Amino acid sequence: MASNSDSQSQNEVPPKLKLTYFPVRGIAEVARMILVHQQVDFIDERLSQKEWADSRNISPYGYMPYLTLESGVKIGGSIPIYSYLVGRYGLGGQSDIENFLLMSAVDCLKEIWAKIPPYHLETDPV
């Protein structure tokens, strides 16, 4: 039997958005920034490599970041998360051109982030 909000305990904590990623800024940082800017009380779940290996099968598409909504639905991938949050909090452009420019900037960031790992993982001290 499904419970409804009328029968829930007064002490029960309402579900929150939960952003899940590694303990680094990376591609989840834009989503974190949106949530903080909008003063959203959310869970910022940061998984170690071991925790990620143990829970990978519950993530959408088997990768991170992912956003778990209050309903339990999981949104996988940084750009779908950004798009969802922009729509939910009314942060999109006021025209098709403005929305295009916003998505162009996001796509540019994604391309820049794709080039960072080889530098970040460099082990040569020189």
Side-chain angles (χ1 to χ4, degrees):
M1 183 168 119
S3 65
N4 68 37
S5 59
D6 294 335
S7 65
Q8 290 179 345
S9 165
Q10 293 289 352
N11 296 331
E12 192 171 319
V13 177
K16 295 179 185 177
L17 289 175
K18 179 168 67 171
L19 182 63
T20 304
Y21 194 57
F22 296 109
V24 296
R25 290 182 179 166
I27 59 176
E29 193 64 13
V30 171
R32 286 187 190 112
M33 291 169 67
I34 292 171
L35 292 165
V36 169
H37 180 267
Q38 293 300 304
Q39 300 177 347
V40 176
D41 185 17
F42 72 102
I43 299 167
D44 189 3
E45 181 178 49
R46 299 186 188 211
L47 302 179
S48 68
Q49 290 289 338
K50 168 80 171 95
E51 291 168 320
W52 169 235
D54 293 342
S55 63
R56 186 176 191 152
N57 62 335
I58 65 166
S59 70
Y61 316 115
Y63 65 88
M64 294 197 290
Y66 64 91
L67 180 69
T68 306
L69 305 181
E70 297 89 343
S71 65
V73 170
K74 291 181 171 89
I75 300 172
S78 56
I79 292 179
I81 292 170
Y82 307 157
S83 295
Y84 173 79
L85 294 174
V86 162
R88 179 172 174 158
Y89 297 110
L91 301 173
Q94 295 182 1
S95 69
D96 290 342
I97 295 295
E98 286 182 3
N99 283 323
F100 165 77
L101 293 171
L102 287 169
M103 289 310 298
S104 294
V106 168
D107 193 51
C108 182
L109 283 174
K110 187 85 171 181
E111 289 181 23
I112 291 169
W113 286 329
K115 296 176 184 192
I116 291 173
Y119 301 103
H120 179 69
L121 300 174
E122 178 61 49
T123 58
D124 185 359
V126 176

